[in-house]
Amino acid sequence: MASVGLAKVFTSPITELGRAAASLGQGNMQTRVRKGTLLLRDEISDLKDIFNSMAQQISSHQLILEHKVRERTLDLARANDGLAKEVEERKRIEGELEKAKDVAIAANRSKSEFLANMSHEIRTPLNAIINFTELCLGTQITPEQHEYLDYVRFAAQHLLRLITDILDFSKIEAGKLEIEDMQFSLFDQIEHAVSVLAARAFKAGLELCYRIDADVPDLIIGDPGRLLQIFVNLIGNGIKFTKEGEVVISASVKTQTEDSIEILFSVKDTGLGIPESKQSLLFKAFSQVDSSTQRVYGGTGLGLVISAKLAAAMGGEMWVESEGTENRGSTFWFTARFQKLQQSTTNAPSFKDAHALVVDDNHTSRCILVDLLKNWRMVADGVDTVEGAKALLHKAAVSGHPYNVVLLDMWLNGTDASELVDFLHMYPSLLANYSQPATSAFYTSEQMKYNSTKKNVLKGEETESKSTSDVSLPIIMLTSVNLIDVTRCKEIGIRFHTSKPVRRSLLVRVLKSALHAQDEVPDEGQASQISESLGRSLHILVVEDNVVNQKVAVKLLKKWGHTFVLACNGAEAIDKSTQEAFDLILMDVQMPVCDGFEATARIREIEKNNNGRRTPIVAMTAHAMSGDGDRCISAGMDFYVSKPLNAKKLQELLQSAAMGSFRGRHYSSPYCDDITKYV
């Protein structure tokens, strides 16, 4: 018994420690073991104290851990709440952005519709103002009335130009600028640009000329209307800001591949120049180099911005070079990329071994013309005075290689060149016939015995002059655009003449006439047929709701000898097109009851169902906004012209229809029409 009791004394504390450890392990952090009395302290008592201390530490760490867990949980809850709020805020912002986007799209659509409607509303009365003014100018009026009407026409055309600038700028800003791809003649576009501005250059006393390098192709694929727009803007600025001197356009090849070509263009003037500090303003919208209220030169400040954007849209760029010094001028450069034709049959004209003398006091113009003639395989020389020309004529004749043709500027140093004409009439043998060997021209030193005045001319020489006065000498007079120069040519016995800036195609024809190297002309039967076609009267359906525009169309068609029927809206047009046959339909786009698009679609449907003849339909619109042309063509129309109607363009279109050479599925650039009218 004693031994059992003693064993219990030793095992009981150990068992208690085991139970306490198990309870602690189950998470009861308050578990402790009972301590022994101070009288019975032994190793087991020390073990109990250590266990209790350990349990206390574990309990403390548990409390700290639970506190930290609670803190982290609260932090995560707060973060989760913040994230939820952020997600909700982002959803709200996205919703607002979507609404703002819808509002912006609607606003942009409204702006486009507003601009289109404003264009229509402004162009409609301008159509009447410009065309009725031109009709009035064609009647018998006094010189004073003619002057006043010219002012009216100029002001209307200037307003039209401003409207076109604003519309183009809005299209660029909206990203709706369209660049076409069509085959065209680069030479024709450059020549057209200088031709329409020649009158302004002449009035300003400036020389306007252009140089095209020999390796630049004529036929390329691109947007001729937009290219013309850039040329007209840059050349117009050059004329505006140049008091004296010249404006020169040039074109050269920058780079090319098998399929494409990049052409470098420049417009150089001898005007005011642009200070370097002001050059950055040139290509900013609504900016002016001189923005003071006393500025001399007007403008919206959009022209160069639009031109630079157009150059960029054609794969190029635009920049300016200027020393900022007056009379040193500025040079505006721009590049554009075009597609090359796979097979080009364009050949330069050839006047092989023809000898030409160019007499022009402007160095640039003279050099350009001499180089051009050399490219045409001619032997060409240039001189700037009448005396110099006489000396070269004499020298060439003595050497046995006389000139075959003389290209003579009408105005040399401010005076007309009739002195040289009189000289050549007196000594016609100085010029040889191109079709004969050079040695066939008879020339002796005795024929050069002349005095500077007619009083001292030898009697025999006077007789020769009179006997040859009726012969058309191969002299080509380079006149200004002033009709007085043409009259003067007749007075001094000059048959061949062409205006400056010289157009290549016209110069070729004049050279062929002067050198008696004309191509075959059509026979009388062909000529009669062409004349008859040009004079054929068309029966035209005019669909127009505006009374004033109706009167404009009626007056023009009557003047050109065509018959017509009026329809006030698309519904009437549909009915009348089924009642009688028309050669052509002029269709307004915006009309009440039934617009031009709906009317055209219905007419095409009727023609298809009845297997009828397709009547050409020409759209007339005052919107002139991006996409109008494509929409017209998609609706089944064949051609597109903008208002105000360009009478000359419309007449050419009707003549094409009369000759059966009407080309459908194309539309003319409204801007090009406006340029011609504006200039």
Side-chain angles (χ1 to χ4, degrees), residues 365-384:
S365 178
R366 184 174 67 251
C367 291
I368 290 174
L369 199 49
V370 168
D371 290 342
L372 177 62
L373 297 178
K374 288 181 178 179
N375 288 336
W376 293 347
R377 305 179 69 184
M378 299 178 72
V379 179
D381 298 310
V383 67
D384 59 349

Side-chain angles (χ1 to χ4, degrees), residues 539-573:
H539 189 48
I540 300 172
L541 175 60
V542 180
V543 190
E544 173 63 67
D545 65 310
N546 185 277
V547 177
V548 177
N549 287 342
Q550 287 179 359
K551 291 182 178 180
V552 170
V554 165
K555 292 289 185 183
L556 290 174
L557 294 178
K558 280 184 177 179
K559 181 179 179 182
W560 299 331
H562 302 295
T563 59
F564 57 88
V565 173
L566 285 175
C568 296
N569 55 61
E572 289 187 17

